[in-house]
Amino acid sequence: MSFPLYYILILYLSFLIVWAVFSFVAFYHMLKYGFRNFTTFFIIIIYILISVFLLMLSFRYLGEIDWQVNVAIFDNIFNNDFPYQ
Amino acid sequence: MLSLYRLPGNIKDEKVLKIYRRDFFVLFKKVLFFLVLSILPALLFYWIAVNFDEFIFQGAISYSLSIIFTSSYYIFIWLFFFFSFIDYYLDVWIITNERIIDIQQKGFFSRIISEQRLYRIQDVTSEVHGFFPTVFKYGNVYVQTAGSKQRFFFNEIPNPENVRDTIIKLIERHKRIHNK
């Protein structure tokens, strides 16, 4: 059985969507319930900047991978060529 | 957004005197916890590199999986730290010249705002319990009010004795003004 490597990338992207949704929920809480002051906005900006840095670093490394490669798994699971025969 | 000029259930001529959050050491413990979590993948990869074949991460699948795992891990650690910070940041106790307001964020979908008018307060108790609270001078303040309501609870705030004194002075001043 084999599948293209980019299937793993789709899984990762779905992970990122969940992360983005939770991040928006966090922003909503900060903006709705936090004090209207510099600290609240500063914290949100710091969160966005570090998130962008982490994503850019991830995309840089992920960009080096050839995602069209086929991955073979369980290829020898029913292999009957036992070495002692 | 919460504004100091428009508190929940605003009272005429009310002035905000003090705003308390949990002690900074509580936030420091959270930061330390997430720092430990952030070095775990590095330790894991080092352990694998030392104990297994050093080329284990050079295969197409293992390399891509390790990048995706590391990226997801750090992104979610960062998100959880932000959640944890919000929990710290949005828990606030506000003392005004008329009342005490307790704002508690419980997770993301539960927010409790309660208040006690100063004239209802009967007893204020401060408590510093444990090694770190004693060293860093933080603790709890319990405010007992008239009636069957639960005690008001300031959790892990800095200098609880000073907070207790402030509340007691405010109550006395409030009584003097309103008994004239």
Side-chain angles (χ1 to χ4, degrees), chain A residues 12-46:
Chain A
Y12 174 69
L13 288 176
S14 60
F15 222 57
L16 285 187
I17 290 167
V18 173
W19 173 81
V21 169
F22 276 98
S23 294
F24 278 116
V25 172
F27 293 156
Y28 172 78
H29 274 79
M30 280 296 276
L31 292 170
K32 187 164 171 63
Y33 301 121
F35 278 107
R36 189 187 298 160
N37 58 16
F38 172 75
T39 314
T40 303
F41 292 105
F42 180 72
I43 289 159
I44 290 173
I45 286 167
I46 290 289

Side-chain angles (χ1 to χ4, degrees), chain B:
Chain B
M1 285 184 106
L2 187 62
S3 168
L4 292 179
Y5 303 103
R6 260 185 39 199
L7 292 171
N10 205 11
I11 299 169
K12 198 184 169 192
D13 297 330
E14 185 179 28
K15 286 177 191 157
V16 174
L17 302 174
K18 296 268 183 189
I19 297 168
Y20 294 102
R21 284 198 173 84
R22 287 199 176 93
D23 190 72
F24 193 73
F25 184 72
V26 177
L27 181 63
F28 175 74
K29 281 196 292 185
K30 287 175 189 276
V31 172
L32 204 66
F33 175 69
F34 282 100
L35 279 177
V36 169
L37 285 183
S38 67
I39 59 166
L40 281 182
L43 292 176
L44 178 73
F45 289 137
Y46 177 76
W47 180 78
I48 290 172
V50 166
N51 290 289
F52 298 92
D53 190 350
E54 62 183 280
F55 300 109
I56 196 164
F57 295 121
Q58 291 180 6
I61 307 172
S62 56
Y63 180 73
S64 56
L65 278 179
S66 60
I67 296 290
I68 282 174
F69 164 77
T70 312
S71 169
S72 310
Y73 181 83
Y74 279 110
I75 282 169
F76 271 85
I77 284 293
W78 180 231
L79 178 69
F80 289 136
F81 174 67
F82 193 46
F83 280 5
S84 187
F85 179 82
I86 288 172
D87 184 47
Y88 167 85
Y89 187 68
L90 295 184
D91 286 357
V92 185
W93 294 273
I94 302 168
I95 298 178
T96 75
N97 58 339
E98 290 291 333
R99 58 185 170 153
I100 300 169
I101 304 166
D102 175 15
I103 303 173
Q104 293 290 313
Q105 186 73 36
K106 306 270 183 199
F108 267 131
F109 302 101
S110 171
R111 186 171 168 82
I112 303 163
I113 301 176
S114 46
E115 66 167 67
Q116 283 299 343
R117 298 294 289 266
L118 290 177
Y119 67 84
R120 289 178 61 88
I121 295 171
Q122 289 186 326
D123 177 48
V124 187
T125 310
S126 65
E127 177 195 71
V128 177
H129 187 72
F131 176 73
F132 286 116
T134 308
V135 172
F136 294 104
K137 293 178 183 168
Y138 69 91
N140 305 326
V141 173
Y142 303 97
V143 178
Q144 180 69 54
T145 56
S148 58
K149 280 195 170 180
Q150 277 187 330
R151 290 200 301 180
F152 226 63
F153 184 40
F154 290 59
N155 193 16
E156 296 177 314
I157 54 165
N159 299 311
E161 287 93 355
N162 292 355
V163 177
R164 184 198 59 204
D165 292 345
T166 306
I167 295 171
I168 288 170
K169 279 177 190 162
L170 275 172
I171 295 165
E172 285 168 357
R173 197 171 74 183
H174 192 268
K175 277 178 185 167
R176 271 203 309 274
I177 292 167
H178 288 272
N179 288 339
K180 273 181 185 174

Side-chain angles (χ1 to χ4, degrees), chain A:
Chain A
M1 188 180 120
S2 70
F3 63 90
L5 195 58
Y6 65 79
Y7 278 23
I8 300 171
L9 200 60
I10 293 168
L11 197 72
Y12 174 69
L13 288 176
S14 60
F15 222 57
L16 285 187
I17 290 167
V18 173
W19 173 81
V21 169
F22 276 98
S23 294
F24 278 116
V25 172
F27 293 156
Y28 172 78
H29 274 79
M30 280 296 276
L31 292 170
K32 187 164 171 63
Y33 301 121
F35 278 107
R36 189 187 298 160
N37 58 16
F38 172 75
T39 314
T40 303
F41 292 105
F42 180 72
I43 289 159
I44 290 173
I45 286 167
I46 290 289
Y47 178 76
I48 292 170
L49 286 178
I50 293 181
S51 300
V52 167
F53 169 74
L54 287 172
L55 289 173
M56 282 176 69
L57 199 67
S58 304
F59 293 157
R60 204 190 102 195
Y61 282 104
L62 292 172
E64 294 171 356
I65 298 166
D66 180 9
W67 295 100
Q68 300 299 324
V69 170
N70 269 315
V71 178
I73 53 169
F74 308 128
D75 264 8
N76 295 320
I77 198 165
F78 299 116
N79 185 3
N80 293 324
D81 296 334
F82 295 112
Y84 49 82
Q85 281 182 329

